[in-house]
């Protein structure tokens, strides 16, 4: 594959080539293919994703585990006193906001499944829908955005090739010029997904997301990125400006 030079975010074909180059290099750098970290059913993954908003992974995991230990079913979470749910979520940030939000999501899903007094359905039916339709169904629920919908479809046992974009992935993509400097995390989902081959499997999409995320965590830091040792330096305009004598 020819090596593209650093490109402006307006050149779609060049950004496609750069996205594939980043995939190739970063997957090799961080050891793809990566094992899926979750084997939750899609409803459980949806709740887990909601807990992860602006929360460290270790804290959201503890909150999720405590929630499941406290309440035996999602129906029990939905119908419990909100303060009891909030206490179970004390390990994550803003439990006072996330407890009523999660209960509202569970009520909405139960209602859509036919009866808000019955247990919420499994969401396994989303596997039979085209990915844009499945994401639209999830994102029509208040509090569910593009990152959460993609995480639900990709990380859960559905294993559908929808790509989430977290803050690390977003930062790397922005510095490389895959998206413009003013594109937020939400709008970045559609723009970055459009750069990937439409026939990619869930594993390939997962590898792409994880590789860019790992690069953001291990090299392309928010503050003082390690541009001097970055494997993408030759095609990164931010890195080239930071260490111009390296090339």
């Amino acid at each position: 594959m020819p090596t593209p030079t650093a490109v402006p975010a307006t050149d779609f074909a060049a950004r496609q080539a750069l996205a594939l180059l980043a995939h190739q290099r970063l997957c090799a750098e961080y050891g793809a293919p990566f094992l899926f970290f979750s084997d939750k059913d899609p409803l459980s993954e949806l709740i887990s994703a909601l807990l992860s908003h602006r929360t460290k992974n270790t804290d959201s995991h503890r909150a999720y585990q405590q929630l499941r230990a406290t309440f035996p079913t999602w129906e029990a979470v939905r119908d419990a006193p909100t303060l009891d749910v909030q206490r179970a979520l004390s390990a994550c940030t803003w439990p006072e906001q996330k407890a009523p939000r999660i209960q509202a999501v569970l009520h909405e899903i139960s209602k859509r499944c036919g009866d808000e007094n019955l247990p919420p359905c499994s969401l396994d039916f989303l596997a039979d829908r085209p990915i844009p339709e499945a994401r639209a169904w999830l994102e029509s629920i208040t509090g569910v955005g593009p990152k959460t919908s993609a995480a639900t479809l990709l990380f859960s046992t559905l294993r559908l090739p929808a790509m989430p974009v977290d803050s690390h992935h977003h930062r790397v993509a922005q510095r490389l010029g895959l998206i413009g400097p003013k594109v937020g995390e939400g709008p970045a989902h559609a723009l970055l997904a459009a750069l990937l081959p439409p026939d990619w499997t869930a594993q390939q999409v997962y590898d792409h997301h994880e590789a860019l995320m790992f690069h953001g965590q291990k090299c392309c830091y928010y503050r003082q990125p390690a541009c001097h040792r970055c494997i993408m330096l030759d095609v990164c305009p931010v890195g080239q400006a930071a260490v111009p004598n390296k090339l």
Side-chain angles (χ1 to χ4, degrees):
M1 178 183 298
T3 300
T5 57
V7 295
T10 53
D11 189 333
F12 184 77
R15 286 188 290 121
Q16 281 186 314
L18 183 56
L20 293 177
L21 180 68
H23 178 85
Q24 179 187 60
R25 288 187 184 178
L26 296 176
C27 282
E29 178 76 4
Y30 297 107
F34 305 109
L35 293 175
F36 279 88
F37 71 89
S38 176
D39 59 358
K40 298 181 184 70
D41 67 87
L43 178 58
S44 298
E45 191 62 55
L46 171 61
I47 302 303
S48 177
L50 290 169
L51 290 178
S52 71
H53 290 182
R54 302 300 179 185
T55 302
K56 293 180 179 178
N57 289 340
T58 53
D59 293 338
S60 63
H61 178 72
R62 284 196 299 125
Y64 178 86
Q65 293 299 322
Q66 182 60 35
L67 185 67
R68 298 312 310 260
T70 304
F71 302 100
T73 65
W74 292 124
E75 181 184 10
V77 173
R78 182 194 67 192
D79 298 337
T82 302
L83 188 59
D84 290 349
V85 178
Q86 181 179 326
R87 291 192 186 102
L89 299 180
S90 60
C92 71
T93 56
W94 304 304
E96 71 283 355
Q97 296 176 19
K98 291 178 179 177
R101 181 180 300 162
I102 285 171
Q103 288 185 305
V105 167
L106 291 169
H107 274 290
E108 177 64 21
I109 290 173
S110 296
K111 186 184 299 184
R112 292 189 186 192
C113 292
D115 189 336
E116 63 181 322
N117 296 311
L118 294 177
C121 52
S122 69
L123 303 187
D124 286 340
F125 68 89
L126 292 175
D128 299 323
R129 300 192 177 190
I131 290 176
E133 185 179 326
R135 295 189 67 171
W137 192 95
L138 289 166
E139 290 174 32
S140 65
I141 300 171
T142 300
V144 177
K147 178 182 174 183
T148 300
S149 73
T152 300
L153 298 179
L154 179 64
F155 298 158
S156 76
T157 51
L158 293 177
R159 300 288 193 257
L160 296 176
M163 187 176 67
V165 178
D166 73 352
S167 59
H168 301 291
H169 184 159
H170 179 262
R171 181 171 64 255
V172 173
Q174 210 160 49
R175 287 175 175 170
L176 285 173
L178 295 175
I179 52 175
K182 296 183 179 180
V183 176
E185 283 183 35
H189 282 76
L191 295 173
L192 291 174
L195 300 177
L196 305 182
D199 59 348
W200 267 15
T201 65
Q203 182 68 61
Q204 288 171 303
V205 171
Y206 183 69
D207 288 345
H208 187 80
H209 165 70
E210 292 287 290
L212 269 72
M213 181 189 71
F214 284 139
H215 194 57
Q217 292 174 334
K218 300 174 183 295
C219 181
C220 193
Y221 309 123
Y222 177 71
R223 293 185 177 86
Q224 298 182 325
C227 299
H228 62 283
R229 60 174 175 82
C230 177
I231 196 169
M232 300 301 298
L233 178 58
D234 63 314
V235 292
C236 179
V238 172
Q240 290 177 20
V243 285
N245 296 326
K246 181 72 177 177
L247 298 179

